């Protein structure tokens, strides 16, 4: 890789903002696509006559494809740049939602979620690459954070307008409309987005810590094996941090939150949507706060940020399911805010990956880290659905508060497992970098 001088432009031109705006709008639509099933989970169960395990399988397959595509997408982005990869991603999501709109059976609907997961996997990494190529390097961290915050608005779109459209029209019209938006944005991406500014003749990657921009000239960034990254305890700490922090919120927002709030807690759709909206907004507000604290406390990220976030989630979760009757509304709002800490806390995992890996294997370490949260989320989603089925409460007509109480015990072992390995790998990492003495010496 050869080094490229920093751009002399201190502020990006209007074209950079136009490229970013189209890219982040595509990311908002990708988030809407990703969470669309969670907003209409009860209706999906009725349409496909699906039990809880089958409904969970929709989300599990989607997350598995998304997580599995992260490293291949990185390779393709290094080779072809953001524009073609984003265009294909939008078309794949559009095809997935059109298939979902017309699907007559569970099998075809699962295939639709595979297409959706594959397309979704391409968008966020591609937008981050646009930030690296179109904006001055020193603005990279701010723009990445801003991109993530704006993108979360897609959850609100899935929660309110999408659900309202479904109730006002039909399943086919609703998901067909999302497919149409996907095609429109594929066209916008192809027409407006360019891989890099005209004055630069190659796509680049950027180290957001140092601001050094590098041209990708070989496969060295992705050719190093996963074992080399996994061998460093800092990467394993990153993996378990991402495994433990966000999965409960992901399971809640992606599938089980709306059925739990409406069928089990007895809330109407408006109040349930309000609680999930608080989850989204709280995550957007907490993101910059936790990100800044992570920057200020590099040696105490796990103990001061990650583990407290996990503890707050566990406490609120257990209190809600331990109550003898439905939880009061204020407590459900507290649960939403507690779960919202998981997303920003999980971003600390990427700080670990970046801190403890050299630049030539950073992409691999990031891919390994990103897989952690999706593995935990798909396990939690599936186990909750299986627990509901085993109790004979696998359909909307049979959902009950008692059944959800048992099913919502499933995340607790995952939290415990993650906390144990965070403590183990944190100790090993501190020994590795010389902050703690090695007891074997």
């Amino acid at each position: 890789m050869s080094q490229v001088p920093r751009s002399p432009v201190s502020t990006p031109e209007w074209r950079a903002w136009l490229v970013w705006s189209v890219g982040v709008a595509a990311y908002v639509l990708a988030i809407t696509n990703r969470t669309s099933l969670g907003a209409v989970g009860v209706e999906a169960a009725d349409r496909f006559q699906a039990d809880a395990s089958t409904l969970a399988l929709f989300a599990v397959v989607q997350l598995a494809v998304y997580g599995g595509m992260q490293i291949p997408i990185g390779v393709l982005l290094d080779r072809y740049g953001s524009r073609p990869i984003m265009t294909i991603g939008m078309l794949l999501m559009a095809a997935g939602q059109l298939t979902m709109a017309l699907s007559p059976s569970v099998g075809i609907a699962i295939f639709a979620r595979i297409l959706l997961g594959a397309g979704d996997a391409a968008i966020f990494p591609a937008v981050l690459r646009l930030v690296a190529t179109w904006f001055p390097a020193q603005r990279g961290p701010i723009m990445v954070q801003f991109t993530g915050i704006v993108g979360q608005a897609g959850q609100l779109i899935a929660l309110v307008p999408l659900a309202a459209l479904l109730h006002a029209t039909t399943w086919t019209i609703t998901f067909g409309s999302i497919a149409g938006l996907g095609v429109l944005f594929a066209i916008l991406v192809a027409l407006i987005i360019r891989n890099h500014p005209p004055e630069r003749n190659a796509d680049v990657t950027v180290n957001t810590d140092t601001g050094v921009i590098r041209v990708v000239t070989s496969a060295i960034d992705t050719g190093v094996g996963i074992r080399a990254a996994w061998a460093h305890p800092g990467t394993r700490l990153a993996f378990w941090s991402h495994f433990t922090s966000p999965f409960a919120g992901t399971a809640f927002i992606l599938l089980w939150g709306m059925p739990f709030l409406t069928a089990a807690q007895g809330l109407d759709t408006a109040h349930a949507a309000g609680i999930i909206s608080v989850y989204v907004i709280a995550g957007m507000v907490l993101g910059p706060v936790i990100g800044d604290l992570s920057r200020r406390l590099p040696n105490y990220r796990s103990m001061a940020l990650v583990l407290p976030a996990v503890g707050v989630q566990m406490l609120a979760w257990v209190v809600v399911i331990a109550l003898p009757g439905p939880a009061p509304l204020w407590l459900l709002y507290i649960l939403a805010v507690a779960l919202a800490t998981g997303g920003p806390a999980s971003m600390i995992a990427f700080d670990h990956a970046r801190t403890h890996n050299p630049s030539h294997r950073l992409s691999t370490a990031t891919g390994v880290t990103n897989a952690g949260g999706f593995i935990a989320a798909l396990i939690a989603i599936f186990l909750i659905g299986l627990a509901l089925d085993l109790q004979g409460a696998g359909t909307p007509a049979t959902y009950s508060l008692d059944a959800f109480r048992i099913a919502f015990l499933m995340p607790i072992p995952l939290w415990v497992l993650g906390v144990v390995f965070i403590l183990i790998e944190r100790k090993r990492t501190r020994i590795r970098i010389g902050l703690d003495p090695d007891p074997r010496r």
Side-chain angles (χ1 to χ4, degrees):
M1 294 186 297
S2 58
Q3 191 164 326
V4 175
R6 295 175 186 240
S7 169
V9 181
S10 59
T11 56
E13 298 178 354
W14 65 268
R15 190 173 181 183
W17 286 105
L18 177 63
V19 168
W20 178 82
S21 297
V22 173
V24 81
Y27 179 49
V28 169
L29 182 58
I31 295 290
T32 303
N33 279 299
R34 183 189 307 173
T35 55
S36 58
L37 190 64
V40 296
V42 174
E43 291 83 353
D46 288 335
R47 175 178 175 84
F48 297 108
Q49 297 299 301
D51 58 22
S53 296
T54 303
L55 193 62
L57 190 60
F58 289 161
V60 166
V61 166
Q62 179 184 336
L63 287 177
V65 172
Y66 182 99
M69 288 292 292
Q70 289 302 299
I71 293 177
I73 287 294
V75 175
L76 293 172
L77 283 170
D78 278 346
R79 183 167 183 179
Y80 298 108
S82 295
R83 181 189 179 195
I85 303 305
M86 286 188 71
T87 303
I88 294 171
M90 298 308 298
L91 290 174
L92 282 173
M93 284 191 288
Q97 294 292 36
L98 182 61
T99 303
M100 198 73 178
L102 303 175
S103 173
S105 66
V106 169
I108 295 177
I110 289 175
F111 175 69
R113 304 311 286 184
I114 291 174
L115 292 175
L116 193 66
D120 183 16
I123 306 304
F124 187 56
V127 178
L128 294 188
R129 180 169 287 271
L130 291 175
V131 168
T133 53
W134 280 91
F135 288 84
Q138 61 269 26
R139 288 201 178 190
I142 296 174
M143 292 303 300
V144 167
Q145 189 178 88
F146 191 33
T147 299
I149 291 173
V150 174
Q152 296 313 304
Q155 297 185 40
L156 297 177
I157 295 174
L159 186 63
V160 182
L162 179 66
L165 181 62
L166 177 60
H167 294 150
T169 58
T170 65
W171 179 277
T172 300
I173 290 175
T174 300
F175 283 87
S177 299
I178 305 176
L181 283 175
V183 174
L184 172 63
F185 272 88
I187 295 171
L188 287 174
V189 166
L191 290 178
I192 296 175
I193 286 181
R194 294 295 181 269
N195 287 346
H196 48 76
E199 67 272 13
R200 190 176 293 153
N201 58 8
D203 205 357
V204 302
T205 57
V206 61
N207 184 325
T208 54
D209 273 352
T210 64
V212 174
I213 299 175
R214 298 178 181 275
V215 175
V216 176
T217 58
S218 72
I220 189 170
D221 283 325
T222 52
V224 178
I226 292 177
R227 282 193 300 175
W230 187 257
H232 196 295
T235 304
R236 300 196 295 271
L237 175 60
F239 173 89
W240 288 109
S241 297
H242 201 264
F243 179 98
T244 313
S245 303
F247 75 86
T250 302
F252 195 80
I253 195 73
L254 204 60
L255 189 61
W256 292 122
M258 192 64 80
F260 172 71
L261 294 172
T262 54
Q265 292 290 334
L267 301 180
D268 56 36
T269 303
H271 279 97
I275 290 171
I276 295 180
S277 297
V278 166
Y279 165 86
V280 177
I281 295 169
M284 296 168 72
V285 171
L286 289 170
V289 176
I290 293 179
D292 187 60
L293 289 174
S294 176
R295 179 181 64 84
R296 293 172 182 270
L297 304 169
N299 294 328
Y300 302 97
R301 290 164 175 162
S302 297
M303 302 302 291
L305 298 172
V306 176
L307 293 179
V310 173
V312 166
Q313 292 179 70
M314 287 183 64
L315 178 61
W317 190 275
V318 169
V319 169
V320 167
I321 65 175
L323 290 177
L329 193 60
W330 62 266
L331 183 57
L332 294 175
Y333 278 109
I334 289 177
L335 174 64
V337 174
L339 292 177
T341 64
S346 72
M347 294 298 101
I348 294 171
F350 298 106
D351 293 334
H352 288 311
R354 185 173 62 248
T355 300
H356 301 296
N357 284 275
S359 60
H360 67 268
R361 70 166 184 242
L362 182 56
S363 297
T364 301
T366 300
V368 170
T369 301
N370 205 23
F374 292 103
I375 291 172
L378 65 88
I379 292 173
I381 289 171
F382 179 74
L383 288 181
I384 290 172
L386 181 62
L388 289 172
D389 278 345
L390 291 177
Q391 298 175 83
T395 62
T398 58
Y399 288 157
S400 69
L401 180 55
D402 288 337
F404 266 102
R405 279 200 189 99
I406 301 299
F408 273 19
L409 292 174
M410 297 302 106
I412 294 176
L414 295 176
W415 272 319
V416 173
L417 177 69
V419 168
V420 169
F421 275 101
I422 286 173
L423 293 173
I424 291 172
E425 298 301 344
R426 178 181 184 271
K427 183 66 174 178
R428 290 174 176 171
T429 302
R430 290 178 64 84
I431 292 172
R432 177 71 172 265
I433 63 179
L435 292 178
D436 289 344
D438 188 345
R440 295 173 298 178
R441 294 182 179 178

